Amino acid sequence: MKKTVEFRDVDPLGIAGVADVNLKILEEAFPCKILLRGSTVTLEGSKEDTAQVEEVLMEMMKTYSRKDSLTDGDVRSLVALISNGDHVPQKQKESIILYTKHGTITPRSKGQEKFYDLAKSKDMVFAIGPAGTGKTYLAVAFAVAAYKSREVKRIVLSRPAVEAGERLGFLPGDLREKIDPYLTPLYDALNEILSAATLKSLMSKRVIEVIPLAYMRGRTLNNAFVILDEAQNSSALQMKMFLTRLGPNSKAIITGDVTQIDIPEKEESGLLQAARILKGIDGIGFVQLTENDVVRHKLVKDIIIAYSGGSEKGNRSG
């Protein structure tokens, strides 16, 4: 069937993107032919596909009107949400986490919306879910937003280095050269959210610290926003150590994927233990993200679903 959508009160080229890149994203995601003529888009495909593309286009127009810009990331997030059969939350206009040079960072799914609500209302939040659900990226965005609004004075990001301990000491180079490979995903999130000059300045002043979990021992973190990423690879003792670092006027977000546990099987994952014993404590929130919250490439959702149907051994790989 054919359907037309009118771009009203917006710049059609701003919606379509450079060389129609945003429309090409839609064609890759949905088996639907899309043709732009002036301010009119013609859709040709099945009834279900054209309806979903129309919904994405309408949300693209709302996003463009609100931000006066539209990035390919905005489009991919909308595609991921609507292709799951969900709808853009009506509250999304109010749920702006942070303004960046690339546009606004907002929740893009029901699970991310719950993550947002908990991060606003709780001092400690556990975000558990598969790859691609935005756990690390949103956690860093919450931290940067809290710093910019002067809710905290510094940001501390940590990750367990599975092969830390004695082996780390024998690696060449200084501490940063030894641990940076383990911490790259945190740097990636920071680099997407902050300019290179700002990030360099904040790190040189130790306003932002990125350190391995093993180096958190003995510290008390006051007026800080603390993130523990890949928490499924912390031991029970390490998790307790991390959680008890929190000082006055501080907040913490702990992220992890329980299908990607790399520590020896004889050790219990600190994330699994914390999820079991800390629920119900006032001030601590838990959000369980699923494949429906995936905002990466559309194949990531299908891959997660395929692996979730495998054996327990398969779920521990990768």
Side-chain angles (χ1 to χ4, degrees):
M1 66 172 293
K2 285 188 177 182
K3 182 179 289 190
T4 59
V5 177
E6 291 289 334
F7 288 155
R8 296 179 179 176
D9 301 321
V10 294
D11 177 10
L13 296 179
I15 300 295
V18 178
D20 292 343
V21 63
N22 293 335
L23 300 184
K24 290 175 182 176
I25 291 172
L26 297 187
E27 286 187 322
E28 290 174 0
F30 302 97
C32 184
K33 186 176 180 180
I34 304 172
L35 180 64
L36 174 64
R37 293 291 188 208
S39 60
T40 302
V41 174
T42 301
L43 311 176
E44 186 173 351
S46 70
K47 182 178 180 179
E48 180 181 359
D49 290 329
T50 55
Q52 286 191 312
V53 173
E54 180 182 20
E55 185 175 357
V56 175
L57 287 170
M58 298 302 290
E59 293 300 334
M60 287 166 62
M61 283 188 275
K62 291 179 184 178
T63 301
Y64 185 85
S65 297
R66 188 169 71 249
K67 297 169 43 181
D68 199 28
S69 67
L70 183 70
T71 68
D72 60 346
D74 292 328
V75 178
R76 293 184 191 280
S77 294
L78 290 170
V79 165
L81 178 68
I82 293 170
S83 63
N84 287 332
D86 294 325
H87 301 284
V88 177
Q90 293 300 310
K91 186 183 174 185
Q92 183 166 332
K93 289 185 180 180
E94 303 172 2
S95 304
I96 296 174
I97 301 168
L98 185 66
Y99 291 92
T100 75
K101 61 181 180 180
H102 301 298
T104 55
I105 300 176
T106 61
R108 299 295 187 182
S109 68
K110 291 180 179 178
Q112 289 191 357
E113 189 73 30
K114 182 178 179 182
F115 190 7
Y116 172 89
D117 290 338
L118 289 173
K120 289 293 183 181
S121 61
K122 304 290 186 181
D123 286 337
M124 183 177 291
V125 178
F126 287 79
I128 303 171
T133 51
K135 303 182 300 295
T136 303
Y137 182 74
L138 289 183
V140 173
F142 289 131
V144 173
Y147 171 73
K148 287 191 172 183
S149 63
R150 299 186 180 181
E151 296 174 42
V152 297
K153 294 182 178 180
R154 56 179 171 157
I155 299 170
V156 180
L157 304 96
S158 185
R159 223 170 183 247
V162 175
E163 294 183 356
E166 291 184 355
R167 288 192 187 184
L168 195 64
F170 287 106
L171 291 175
D174 60 19
L175 175 61
R176 174 165 291 185
E177 291 171 325
K178 293 174 182 178
I179 65 176
D180 269 2
Y182 295 103
L183 305 176
T184 297
L186 296 174
Y187 287 118
D188 288 345
L190 287 167
N191 280 312
E192 285 191 40
I193 293 170
L194 297 170
S195 68
T198 299
L199 178 57
K200 182 178 180 180
S201 173
L202 292 176
M203 292 194 71
S204 67
K205 297 174 183 176
R206 296 180 67 83
V207 172
I208 294 180
E209 292 184 73
V210 184
I211 61 175
L213 179 57
Y215 290 83
M216 293 283 284
R217 188 175 301 278
R219 303 186 65 179
T220 299
L221 301 172
N222 302 330
N223 301 300
F225 202 114
V226 192
I227 295 172
L228 175 59
D229 192 40
E230 294 290 329
Q232 76 277 1
N233 288 327
S234 66
S235 68
L237 286 175
Q238 285 177 321
M239 177 62 77
K240 181 181 178 183
M241 178 270 291
F242 174 83
L243 298 179
T244 54
R245 299 308 92 198
L246 212 61
N249 194 39
S250 290
K251 303 188 75 168
I253 290 180
I254 298 93
T255 70
D257 177 0
V258 296
T259 69
Q260 298 288 330
I261 298 174
D262 297 319
I263 60 177
E265 293 187 16
K266 65 180 180 180
E267 294 186 45
E268 181 179 19
S269 165
L271 181 61
L272 290 176
Q273 184 191 65
R276 187 176 70 249
I277 68 177
L278 297 181
K279 285 186 177 178
I281 294 180
D282 189 34
I284 300 179
F286 286 83
V287 57
Q288 182 68 55
L289 301 169
T290 71
E291 63 272 5
N292 291 327
D293 299 300
V294 169
V295 291
R296 287 185 187 167
H297 193 286
K298 60 188 179 69
L299 285 176
V300 173
K301 175 186 173 182
D302 296 331
I303 291 168
I304 291 169
I305 293 172
Y307 271 95
S308 68
S311 65
E312 287 295 319
K313 183 177 180 180
N315 284 343
R316 286 179 58 88
S317 65

